[in-house]
Amino acid sequence: MRQFVAGLLLGLAAMYWYAYQKDAFLQRASDWFAEASADPGAKEKMDKMISRRH
């Protein structure tokens, strides 16, 4: 029973993250990679590579 409840809570947390936090996480990761790059056009390339259009 304990494993079932733990799995249920983990599943709910994963669904919440995927639904509400995924886009914010991808935006922060994209910005970080663009800032860390030496390429002057890195921001545009990252935006093209990680498209947030569904």
Side-chain angles (χ1 to χ4, degrees), residues 2 4 8 12 14 16 20 26 31 34-35 39 44 49:
R2 223 180 296 165
F4 171 76
L8 181 67
L12 289 173
Y16 169 80
Y20 296 108
L26 289 176
D31 292 345
E35 288 177 15
D39 185 4
E44 292 79 21
M49 185 175 75

Side-chain angles (χ1 to χ4, degrees), residues 14-52:
M15 286 190 295
Y16 169 80
W17 180 85
Y18 185 78
Y20 296 108
Q21 303 295 324
K22 180 184 62 138
D23 288 334
F25 172 77
L26 289 176
Q27 181 63 45
R28 285 193 303 259
S30 172
D31 292 345
W32 183 84
F33 279 113
E35 288 177 15
S37 176
D39 185 4
K43 178 69 176 151
E44 292 79 21
K45 290 178 183 175
M46 287 301 297
D47 286 342
K48 186 177 179 182
M49 185 175 75
I50 302 177
S51 175
R52 283 171 287 285

